Amino acid sequence: MADVYRWHLAPDGLATHRQLRAMGLRPGGQDVVAELHRPRRRKAPLVAYLYRVDRAKPVRPMTPARAAALAAAMRARRTCPNCRTDAGYCIPRSLGMCVPCHDSP
């Protein structure tokens, strides 16, 4: 079982996934070392998993193939399946199509 710390009380040397990413690091396959619990009123606490910073590895560099795949995925999210045009924004999943197609009768 991992150690559990309350909000703002985690020791130095531990970081969340987002904090590692901001430092240019990734967990690198290491197991979760601890959990950080943020209490909420009338709900279960929010949980963040903590990793050791000294065992983290650098983020893999962006290759041309990964950049092309990411661009294709984002283009697919912007393309309306109804009118087949690039909406210029990510199509809301709740609508399933661009706003003009959804609003037109």
Side-chain angles (χ1 to χ4, degrees):
M1 178 72 180
D3 294 334
V4 177
Y5 298 103
R6 288 184 54 92
W7 190 248
H8 292 298
L9 297 178
D12 293 334
L14 299 181
T16 64
H17 193 273
R18 283 188 179 200
Q19 290 170 334
L20 287 176
R21 189 59 131 178
M23 291 184 259
L25 301 171
R26 61 186 170 96
Q30 65 175 302
D31 293 330
V32 172
V33 176
E35 292 180 1
L36 186 68
H37 286 206
R38 180 180 179 201
R40 299 189 295 175
R41 292 182 187 207
R42 297 184 212 107
K43 292 184 180 180
L46 293 175
V47 177
Y49 299 110
L50 298 174
Y51 302 92
R52 288 181 46 179
V53 176
D54 60 342
R55 293 183 59 198
K57 296 180 180 177
V59 174
R60 293 184 184 115
M62 182 65 74
T63 64
R66 287 179 64 196
L70 181 60
M74 292 305 294
R75 188 171 43 254
R77 289 184 65 192
R78 291 190 316 263
T79 303
C80 176
N82 195 23
C83 64
R84 295 299 210 197
T85 59
D86 187 342
Y89 54 87
C90 289
I91 304 293
R93 291 177 55 188
S94 61
L95 300 179
M97 58 185 74
C98 65
V99 175
C101 287
H102 182 265
D103 290 343
S104 64

